[in-house]
Every structure is written in structure tokens, then in C-alpha cells.
Amino acid sequence: MGKLWRSAITILCVLVLSACAYKTAGEAIQNDIPFNIKQIVHKEKVEDGYLIFYTTEQKDGSNTFDALAVAYIKGSEKEGWENAGHNHWTYYKSDFMILYADTFTTFDEDGTLDTKIPVIFGKVVNPDIKTVEAAGPDGKFTKIEILEKENERFYYAIGDYKEVRALDGAGKEMDRQGEKQ
């Protein structure tokens, strides 16, 4: 009777968990991210899913502002898709740039680390900024990509980066943000 009972519970768990997954990644993005997505800036394929870099419109009293957020949509066409991200956003006023840094982790049934995806994402505010660089654990800065989307500029990097700096056209540092490694 014990084996039958465990089998029934296992089947029930599989059915409940599969009911939480969406058929497509697009459905998971649309329905499983808890914030209103104002603009998807970039969609990056990663192991077991996608990182979705987006802006969300938030309110503070009567004021509205755009905040930065990243979602990790995990799954496959076979098993379905779900938002495995942390579901928070970041915003602060800056004349130069805005930084969002996070590490997305998932664990398997045993509690063992399954996925670890460190990421930085930001918005370039100052038009004089021509280059954004990110520092890794060794403290050395590496140039990262700047994306343009609807007349706005954003940057992102996947990797163990916590600090970024902005450079003007002559290579002079204009701003530095994040945690020094």
C-alpha cells in the first residue's frame, strides 16, 4: 500500500506542477512576470531558458517612472515554461546610468544548485557615455555591449560582474557603480 500511495502522490505532484507551466516562453513572459512590462529590451538564450531584460512602469504616489528588471524564464517546449526569476526591480535617479545586478539560481528536488546565472543590466542616461565596461572577480574591466531600443540605450552582461563604469568618447571615466570585487 505504501508504494501505491507514493505513486499516487508523485502523479498528483507532476500534474499540479505541470499545470503551473505555460506552453510557450512567450506565454510565460506575458502571464508569469508579476510586473507590467513596458518594454522588452533584450531576450537572451541561456541554458534551460531565456533571460528577459525589460523596463516596467512603477508608481510612487502620483509620479510614475521606468524601472529596470530581469526575468529568468526556465523550461522547454516539452516540459513547459515558467518564470523562475526573483521578480523585483531597481531604480534610482542618476545623471549618468542606472545599474541592476542579480544572480538567478534554481535548485533541483534534492536542494542541489541546478542553475546559477549572474547578470548585470542597466540604462545609459547621459548621451556623452560612449562605452560601458564591467569588472569581473579579477577587478579588470571589459567592454560590454550597449543596445539601442526605442531611442534609449541599455547595456547588459552575463557573468560574475558587480561593478560597471561609463566612459566618454576620449576614454575618460564619467561614472562608476556597483560593488567593487
Side-chain angles (χ1 to χ4, degrees):
M1 187 68 166
K3 287 182 182 182
L4 182 61
W5 179 248
R6 273 184 267 168
S7 295
I9 289 176
T10 302
I11 290 170
L12 181 61
C13 287
V14 167
L15 289 173
V16 169
L17 290 175
S18 66
C20 296
Y22 291 93
K23 189 173 184 176
T24 67
E27 288 175 345
I29 292 166
Q30 185 176 10
N31 299 317
D32 216 14
I33 294 176
F35 304 119
N36 56 328
I37 297 175
K38 182 175 180 185
Q39 169 183 213
I40 292 179
V41 174
H42 184 69
K43 182 177 168 182
E44 182 78 18
K45 177 77 173 122
V46 293
E47 184 179 340
D48 296 332
Y50 293 95
L51 287 176
I52 310 300
F53 300 89
Y54 67 98
T55 61
T56 176
E57 188 175 82
Q58 297 296 317
K59 292 185 180 187
D60 181 17
S62 62
N63 297 328
T64 61
F65 57 90
D66 290 349
L68 302 176
V70 180
Y72 173 40
I73 303 298
K74 184 176 181 177
S76 67
E77 298 302 322
K78 180 181 175 187
E79 296 182 17
W81 298 89
E82 65 179 336
N83 178 3
H86 303 344
N87 301 314
H88 57 82
W89 49 265
T90 190
Y91 174 81
Y92 60 91
K93 191 135 178 88
S94 172
D95 292 332
F96 295 98
M97 62 185 185
I98 300 168
L99 171 67
Y100 175 104
D102 204 351
T103 300
F104 295 91
T105 55
T106 60
F107 298 88
D108 64 16
E109 299 83 27
D110 304 348
T112 306
L113 181 65
D114 184 36
T115 307
K116 180 180 178 184
I117 307 171
V119 62
I120 59 169
F121 172 49
K123 181 177 180 181
V124 177
V125 177
N126 188 305
D128 294 331
I129 295 172
K130 302 301 179 200
T131 305
V132 176
E133 296 179 333
D138 60 2
K140 294 180 182 177
F141 282 92
T142 305
K143 182 179 176 180
I144 59 174
E145 184 175 5
I146 295 178
L147 306 167
E148 289 195 35
K149 184 81 172 193
E150 297 183 16
N151 298 320
E152 295 181 302
R153 295 185 307 149
F154 300 91
Y155 63 89
Y156 80 96
I158 298 170
D160 197 15
Y161 303 108
K162 300 279 190 261
E163 185 178 20
V164 293
R165 68 180 178 184
L167 308 174
D168 66 11
K172 180 182 171 201
E173 185 174 308
M174 297 178 66
D175 191 28
R176 186 180 290 222
Q177 297 178 6
E179 301 171 17
K180 192 168 189 170
Q181 302 223 15

